[in-house]
Amino acid sequence: MLRRWLILAGIALGGLGLAQQRITIDFWHSMGGVLGEATEALVKDFNAAQNRVTVRSQFVGSYDDGLNKLRAALQAGGQGRPNVIQVYDIGARFMADSGAVLPLEDLARANNFDLSQFVPQPRNYYTVDGKLYGLAFNSSNPILYFNAQALEQAGIPYRNTWSLADLEAAARKLTIKDASGKTTRYGLSIPIDSWFMEQFSYNSGQYFCNNENGRKARATEVTFNNPAAVAFLDTWARLVRGGGGGGGGGGQHRAQLGR
């Protein structure tokens, strides 16, 4: 399951000249910690590999922070805006509607660059009104971690494919409570945010909103009451009410069985 095809990156904004001298490109990103170090290393390597372009990178906080900073720059007439910005997936429509974006597809066609070499799913995710606006810089994945020792102790065999019913049954066996009834080990911990619901929906052939998640046409209503999302939330709610499931903390892209 791919996380939102997470990051919309490489969206070029206007303002680059075509002169032959070395030009400087301002690049805003939201990669902190180890990912930020890796991003800065990529920028450093790129700058050292050629003498036409210098990328000047800047960490601008969270994805929301970066998008809000861009909005402010555009509202101020574009002063201080970057040439390239990393934006999360749900910012794709805003970027397309902003009127400040040079679609990546236009750049690719002008330079005879073959976009088909990229995986089609993330390409489709950042295609708005039939035109590709950006490419995935990185795609996070929801990952299910297993406590192998706990599974073995509970007599639960590992399987390559788990249904929601399988996870719920295993979580109940793995849950440990003390004499007072307080849960000391949750059988299953799943962060609850809209992204997990979207993933369960999409991997079950359902969409989070209509018009194919707003890619076929502008979304006009949400559809997260689809059977897959309802089944997911019902399972999670039953486990939480019974003391066998935890929320895991928002923003963590992982679930844990036998936490």
Side-chain angles (χ1 to χ4, degrees):
M1 295 187 292
L2 284 180
R3 186 248 203 282
R4 307 180 180 179
W5 305 112
L6 169 61
I7 309 302
L8 181 64
I11 294 186
L13 303 180
L16 291 183
L18 298 178
Q20 294 300 311
Q21 69 269 24
R22 187 161 186 148
I23 60 175
T24 297
I25 291 176
D26 288 317
F27 166 47
W28 289 1
H29 68 85
S30 296
M31 296 283 95
V34 174
L35 293 178
E37 293 174 4
T39 300
E40 293 299 332
L42 288 173
V43 171
K44 182 178 179 180
D45 290 346
F46 175 80
N47 287 338
Q50 44 74 51
N51 58 10
R52 295 185 58 224
V53 179
T54 296
V55 175
R56 185 167 54 195
S57 59
Q58 180 182 349
F59 173 69
V60 289
S62 69
Y63 298 123
D64 286 330
D65 291 338
L67 197 57
N68 288 332
K69 187 173 182 178
L70 176 63
R71 283 195 181 101
L74 295 178
Q75 290 171 356
Q79 184 177 2
R81 69 181 181 182
N83 304 108
V84 181
I85 184 172
Q86 181 189 45
V87 178
Y88 59 176
D89 59 321
I90 60 176
R93 170 57 71 172
F94 167 77
M95 299 302 289
D97 290 346
S98 70
V101 175
L102 180 62
L104 186 63
E105 185 168 331
D106 291 350
L107 290 172
R109 290 184 183 279
N111 290 276
N112 297 314
F113 186 82
D114 181 16
L115 291 170
S116 67
Q117 62 185 296
F118 296 108
V119 179
Q121 288 88 349
R123 288 207 325 267
N124 294 340
Y125 207 99
Y126 295 118
T127 296
V128 179
D129 296 331
K131 181 165 287 190
L132 180 68
Y133 276 81
L135 281 178
F137 182 81
N138 62 297
S139 288
S140 299
N141 293 266
I143 300 173
L144 179 62
Y145 286 97
F146 295 89
N147 184 329
Q149 184 178 18
L151 287 175
E152 183 178 357
Q153 291 173 349
I156 302 172
Y158 173 80
R159 60 187 71 195
N160 291 325
T161 302
W162 295 72
S163 67
L164 281 174
D166 294 333
L167 288 174
E168 184 175 4
R172 295 189 184 282
K173 289 184 179 181
L174 290 166
T175 299
I176 296 177
K177 297 183 180 182
D178 61 20
S180 68
K182 180 180 178 181
T183 301
T184 58
R185 185 180 74 189
Y186 291 105
L188 180 65
S189 176
I190 302 178
I192 292 298
D193 63 26
S194 60
W195 172 55
F196 270 88
M197 290 179 61
E198 178 189 8
Q199 294 304 298
F200 271 95
S201 297
Y202 191 80
N203 281 278
S204 300
Q206 305 288 326
Y207 290 103
F208 202 63
C209 53
N210 67 350
N211 294 325
E212 299 185 6
N213 280 347
R215 295 310 186 269
K216 188 176 181 180
R218 187 180 295 274
T220 58
E221 63 180 6
V222 296
T223 57
F224 48 66
N225 60 341
N226 64 74
V230 171
F232 166 64
L233 284 178
D234 281 347
T235 299
W236 178 81
R238 283 194 299 270
L239 287 172
V240 170
R241 292 187 185 116
Q252 298 298 318
H253 308 152
R254 59 183 181 268
Q256 301 172 3
L257 190 64
R259 184 184 180 195

